[in-house]
Amino acid sequence: MASTPQTSDAHTMAQGEMDLLRFATAGSVDDGKSTLIGRLLLDSKSIFEDQLEAVESTSQSKGYDYTDLALLTDGLRSEREQGITIDVAYRYFATPARKFIIADTPGHIQYTRNMVTGASTADLGLVLVDARQGLTEQSRRHAVLLSLLRVPHLVLAINKMDLVDWSKDVYEKIHKEFTQFATKLNIPDLEVIPISALQGDNVVNRSENTPWYSGPTLMHHLEHVHVASDRDLVDTRFPVQYVIRPKSDQYHDFRGYAGQVAGGVLKKGDEVVVLPSGMTSTISRVELFDTEIAEAFPPMSVTVHLEDDVDVSRGDMIARVKNSPKPSQDIDAMVCWMTNEPLKPRQKLAIKHTTRTGRAMVKDIQYRLDVNTLHRDQEAGELGLNEIGRVQLRTTVPLLCDPYSKNRTTGSFILIDEATGVTVGAGMINSGS
Amino acid sequence: MTNTHVDYRLSQLDQLEAESIHIFREVAAEFEKPVLMFSGGKDSIVMLRLAEKAFFPAKLPFPLLQVDTGLDFQEVLDTRDSWVERLGARMIVATIDEAIAAGHVVDDGKTSRNRMQIGTLLGAIEENSFTAAFGGGRRDEEKARAKERVYSHRDDFGQWDPKMQRPELWSLYNGRIHAGEHMRIFPLSNWTELDIWHYIHREQIEIPSIYFAHEREVIERDGMLLSLGPEIQPKGNETVEKKMVRFRTVGDRTQTGCVESEATDTAAIIDEIAVARVTERGATRGDDRFSEAAMEDRKKEGYF
């Protein structure tokens, strides 16, 4: 068996010091996504007796022949009534090797915004296709969105292999078609796995029905995919979040810059620059709570002290003297629009980038991207709900940004409607900004 | 000086801690008047520990708010006082009895104290004009919580609308609210029950003694073990038994059941949980059992 359930290895679990993998799932109800997630939870022993009993009794009362594992993840009553998943739901399970956080996103066409939301924090994207259908417009769209959000690892799970007699030809045809399509995208790591979520083949346990398949089971791949090197440990980026000044007798002169490391490694003695002011200093101490630490790296939340008494406040960024982001008020980005009222040129919005907030005006909507065909419609002029396009913005404050392709933290921003306060857009900065 | 990991990897506990600290700092920086909703349970104590780390060596930049049901376990109140004193935190206690007197809630004799906490809590938030309230909710607790945001917007009636949630991307939290509205903040969103226990174990965090196995007089009722006390007395052919038990959650003592256990320290609890086959709420919380959608209903009304 590829993976040991947590019950049999309580001691390892008691260490509490395992790895973490965040992954996003995409696919529709018909592709068996909820069933697959139910299967992962069940086979990793993350489903509890009372949850399973509730699902079994519901399945029986609905007259199903088998326990509908999809019921495990249908959260809100309003969704259960409609039989669809309308929002991103987060699920948790663990094996002795890793803890997993699943961002479970609905696959239906109008929910691009949920897919983008789920993918924004994912290390890995899991796209499901029905072996009988092959690649659909929807599965291509999911791959495009995962690529756009720079999710570094992608798994294409070809589900319902039992319904195509475990055909190697079907698997290879879909595999080939997807690989050809993926050449147009940014997908650094791809794994294609034939499964049956309903029966559990190649999910946790290797299937006897696919002797022609030599790759990993889904769970084995999730447990072992190498994510540590996805982070940028070279380009130091420390957005200052909060200035800690106790103003107490004991810590009278304490002045610490608190934040979460967005890139690179910070350590005592590093010569740094504070942006946007451009003043330079040297790191005198890096702390985690009450302890001095040798180095801080992403995604640690730490407190940094500088040797000189320079003016640093929330929204500033600490970087290296010879390697710092370029402050810019002209932002070129891919924007996913998330509200009914379309995004138009000259529109004004609030923008939040790292710990910096300002206002932005839309200078131009260069094109709208058709996420099914990758066609760029230069005549679009505006972006509607769930549409993605290339947008030029002018901001009131300089953003200390990197291209999203280099750093997902310093390369991303959200747009907020100033009247309603609602998050209406998500942006990924292009390299020209 | 502590050396960090040579391979630049963070364990899942360290990643969760970093994420929660980031959330605490973000709220303290962006909200005018935050408050931490403190129940005395293990989750809210872990929140306190994370907040302590987020702002050290400064004191917490927000007060604690507790809703006193009048039915809290004494051990829970003792631990609360010990934490408040050590951190030098400000503590606001809102009692259900005061809320009844002020007309925020109505005691019709049928409503549980747990449900009356909702009105008491909303009354206290409104009276003090709090704009953000940290809660210890976790997404793994219950199906309705799985879709909760870290920043969960509440309208001026304190209600949650699951269909109107703001998208939450990367670690960019949107704290915009209008006057009269507030935001619930869930820094433990991505923690599981096991993570909480691992963290309590690792950090040697002080929690109420009733979480550990001890001898107690109990009555079995509706499949739950309830602690004998002024409100809980044997009915019909129920019998009082002495058992080794521990509590998995520490709510209102008339609603909260305990489980038989021999686990007298955190390591033993972790071993028990790792093999537990019933979710913590399903086993021991009478208030969640009425309907499958019980939590969803209470959340919409403004429950934690």
Side-chain angles (χ1 to χ4, degrees):
Chain A
M1 204 166 97
S3 133
T4 319
Q6 54 177 298
T7 46
S8 65
D9 205 347
H11 184 72
T12 314
M13 295 292 286
Q15 314 291 316
E17 296 294 320
M18 58 219 186
D19 214 352
L20 175 65
L21 182 84
R22 295 175 197 248
F23 70 97
T25 54
S28 67
V29 180
D30 303 333
D31 298 327
K33 177 170 61 84
S34 297
T35 307
L36 176 62
I37 292 173
R39 173 62 61 187
L40 287 170
L41 300 181
L42 188 69
D43 287 0
S44 65
K45 306 277 193 289
S46 305
I47 294 296
F48 295 107
E49 267 170 22
D50 53 336
Q51 292 172 308
L52 191 60
E53 278 166 20
V55 166
E56 278 169 353
S57 74
T58 309
S59 298
Q60 274 170 14
S61 68
K62 289 192 173 181
Y64 298 157
D65 291 339
Y66 51 84
T67 301
D68 185 2
L69 296 176
L71 293 169
L72 284 169
T73 56
D74 285 349
L76 304 173
R77 183 167 48 193
S78 48
E79 290 178 2
R80 284 201 300 277
E81 284 158 2
Q82 293 170 36
I84 52 156
T85 317
I86 55 170
D87 207 333
V88 187
Y90 294 87
R91 321 275 175 208
Y92 304 83
F93 70 99
T95 69
R98 264 186 179 156
K99 166 175 169 152
F100 299 92
I101 301 178
I102 313 175
D104 180 10
T105 69
H108 205 260
I109 184 157
Q110 62 263 47
Y111 296 114
T112 296
R113 77 168 212 182
N114 292 322
M115 171 92 211
V116 168
T117 301
S120 72
T121 51
D123 306 305
L124 179 145
L126 174 61
V127 176
L128 250 87
V129 297
D130 184 329
R132 296 167 303 176
Q133 311 282 330
L135 286 189
T136 59
E137 193 173 284
Q138 185 172 288
S139 34
R140 287 192 186 86
R141 181 168 65 244
H142 291 152
V144 168
L145 291 174
L146 290 166
S147 152
L148 197 67
L149 271 290
R150 298 272 170 177
V151 178
H153 306 274
L154 196 148
V155 174
L156 181 71
I158 304 178
N159 192 23
K160 307 194 184 181
M161 286 298 294
D162 50 322
L163 301 181
V164 294
D165 294 328
W166 303 101
S167 161
K168 184 186 179 190
D169 290 345
V170 169
Y171 169 81
E172 286 188 337
K173 182 174 167 288
I174 297 173
H175 191 328
K176 192 176 165 202
E177 199 186 341
F178 189 81
T179 312
Q180 281 172 355
F181 175 69
T183 54
K184 290 182 265 183
L185 307 173
N186 288 298
I187 297 173
D189 173 40
L190 172 69
E191 196 72 49
V192 185
I193 306 176
I195 64 165
S196 165
L198 191 62
Q199 300 177 0
D201 296 76
N202 290 334
V203 177
V204 172
N205 301 315
R206 174 161 291 283
S207 172
E208 289 172 7
N209 295 312
T210 51
W212 43 265
Y213 173 71
S214 59
T217 64
L218 177 60
M219 184 72 97
H220 186 271
H221 184 63
L222 293 174
E223 282 186 313
H224 295 96
V225 62
H226 182 67
V227 291
S229 53
D230 295 338
R231 285 162 307 152
D232 178 357
L233 293 170
V234 176
D235 308 299
T236 299
R237 301 288 185 262
F238 186 72
V240 176
Q241 205 187 352
Y242 191 88
V243 181
I244 298 178
R245 299 192 63 188
K247 296 176 187 166
S248 63
D249 292 340
Q250 194 186 349
Y251 297 98
H252 195 269
D253 294 320
F254 188 102
R255 192 180 169 87
Y257 306 111
Q260 188 166 24
V261 184
V265 178
L266 291 99
K267 56 185 188 296
K268 182 179 178 173
D270 284 351
E271 285 179 32
V272 293
V273 59
V274 179
L275 298 171
S277 72
M279 283 188 291
T280 57
S281 187
T282 305
I283 294 178
S284 59
R285 191 177 159 88
V286 182
E287 293 171 325
L288 184 63
F289 183 37
D290 58 359
T291 309
E292 181 171 5
I293 54 173
E295 292 174 308
F297 52 90
M300 292 172 78
S301 281
V302 296
T303 305
V304 171
H305 296 253
L306 299 181
E307 269 176 16
D308 307 282
D309 197 10
V310 291
D311 183 26
V312 183
S313 54
R314 174 176 168 84
D316 291 353
M317 168 108 57
I318 294 173
R320 297 301 298 273
V321 174
K322 286 182 179 158
N323 177 350
S324 65
K326 192 181 69 175
S328 173
Q329 285 178 263
D330 290 296
I331 306 299
D332 174 25
M334 297 304 290
V335 169
C336 176
W337 192 243
M338 302 178 152
T339 194
N340 288 317
E341 193 64 27
L343 178 73
K344 291 177 179 157
R346 302 204 58 76
Q347 193 166 334
K348 293 187 181 75
L349 296 142
I351 186 166
K352 187 172 180 186
H353 170 262
T354 65
T355 56
R356 225 170 157 73
T357 304
R359 300 181 73 208
M361 190 175 81
V362 180
K363 301 288 284 184
D364 187 28
I365 297 174
Q366 208 173 320
Y367 60 80
R368 180 170 63 203
L369 182 73
D370 184 325
V371 290
N372 299 313
T373 61
L374 297 177
H375 175 74
R376 298 168 174 186
D377 179 2
Q378 316 220 341
E379 308 301 314
E382 59 179 46
L383 291 181
L385 174 65
N386 288 310
E387 291 183 339
I388 293 172
R390 187 167 178 176
V391 175
Q392 272 75 46
L393 299 167
R394 172 79 185 172
T395 58
T396 53
V397 293
L399 301 188
L400 312 163
C401 55
D402 291 296
Y404 187 73
S405 56
K406 286 194 74 177
N407 189 316
R408 290 169 81 187
T409 306
T410 55
S412 56
F413 60 82
I414 55 170
L415 296 169
I416 298 164
D417 183 303
E418 294 188 296
T420 63
V422 172
T423 305
V424 290
M428 291 148 281
I429 296 166
N430 292 324
S431 45
S433 293
Chain B
M1 197 189 300
T2 306
N3 275 304
T4 37
H5 309 56
V6 282
D7 59 355
Y8 299 110
R9 281 193 196 203
L10 281 188
S11 73
Q12 119 272 12
L13 276 189
D14 289 328
Q15 290 196 44
L16 291 170
E17 179 188 74
E19 179 181 83
S20 300
I21 288 175
H22 172 81
I23 293 163
F24 272 111
R25 289 169 171 170
E26 203 60 13
V27 171
E30 289 201 322
F31 285 87
E32 214 163 303
K33 221 178 159 190
V35 67
L36 187 147
M37 298 191 290
F38 187 73
S39 71
K42 65 182 191 318
D43 299 325
S44 65
I45 289 176
V46 166
M47 278 207 294
L48 265 193
R49 172 67 170 173
L50 293 163
E52 179 188 13
K53 288 195 174 193
F55 303 105
F56 180 88
K59 285 186 181 169
L60 302 191
F62 40 76
L64 316 183
L65 170 65
Q66 191 193 16
V67 177
D68 183 351
T69 59
L71 295 169
D72 295 298
F73 289 98
Q74 189 55 45
E75 293 89 339
V76 175
L77 300 177
D78 292 345
T79 306
R80 173 195 74 186
D81 294 343
S82 155
W83 267 94
V84 167
E85 195 188 306
R86 190 171 67 75
L87 296 184
R90 279 175 295 146
M91 180 89 208
I92 299 165
V93 178
T95 71
I96 289 186
D97 294 330
E98 278 168 17
I100 293 168
H104 291 311
V105 291
V106 178
D107 186 5
D108 57 8
K110 287 178 287 191
T111 310
S112 77
R113 302 287 279 190
N114 195 334
R115 207 165 180 106
M116 286 193 276
Q117 284 184 70
I118 300 171
T120 309
L121 177 75
L122 294 177
I125 287 173
E126 197 177 313
E127 256 171 46
N128 291 281
S129 316
F130 290 124
T131 52
F134 294 103
R138 310 189 315 264
R139 289 178 183 141
D140 81 320
E141 275 180 79
E142 213 271 344
K143 283 202 278 189
R145 285 216 201 259
K147 304 190 175 188
E148 180 87 66
R149 302 292 190 261
V150 173
Y151 277 35
S152 180
H153 182 256
R154 302 303 160 104
D155 63 18
D156 42 8
F157 297 100
Q159 297 186 89
W160 181 63
D161 182 350
K163 285 190 175 169
M164 291 293 290
Q165 296 201 86
R166 295 174 179 178
E168 203 158 71
L169 299 108
W170 298 289
S171 50
L172 289 170
Y173 301 105
N174 172 3
R176 300 254 169 157
I177 49 168
H178 293 109
E181 299 174 343
H182 74 278
M183 200 72 89
R184 289 295 164 82
I185 313 284
F186 298 104
L188 304 180
S189 287
N190 285 326
W191 297 59
T192 62
E193 188 194 10
L194 206 50
D195 295 328
I196 294 286
W197 280 109
H198 281 309
Y199 195 68
I200 290 169
H201 181 69
R202 186 181 88 173
E203 305 277 314
Q204 300 184 349
I205 294 172
E206 181 196 358
I207 55 171
S209 57
I210 60 171
Y211 277 113
F212 300 103
H214 57 285
E215 203 173 59
R216 182 175 284 266
E217 289 185 310
V218 294
I219 295 164
E220 191 173 338
R221 184 176 295 167
D222 305 330
M224 288 198 298
L225 292 178
L226 295 174
S227 174
L228 185 74
E231 305 83 11
I232 303 286
Q233 289 291 321
K235 292 190 288 198
N237 53 7
E238 288 176 345
T239 55
V240 178
E241 288 178 276
K242 256 195 181 168
K243 287 188 169 173
M244 279 293 277
V245 294
R246 65 179 172 85
F247 288 84
R248 295 178 71 182
T249 65
V250 293
D252 162 347
R253 63 176 178 254
T254 64
Q255 293 271 341
T256 307
C258 46
V259 292
E260 283 192 73
S261 170
E262 299 291 327
T264 52
D265 58 31
T266 47
I269 289 176
I270 289 167
D271 283 345
E272 279 194 10
I273 291 171
V275 296
R277 304 308 322 144
V278 184
T279 56
E280 61 182 284
R281 282 189 172 268
T284 58
R285 288 292 275 263
D287 46 334
D288 284 333
R289 303 170 116 216
F290 298 120
S291 86
E292 216 189 326
M295 176 71 101
E296 187 178 342
D297 290 337
R298 277 180 298 142
K299 277 185 65 64
K300 282 181 184 169
E301 287 176 41
Y303 183 68
F304 304 92

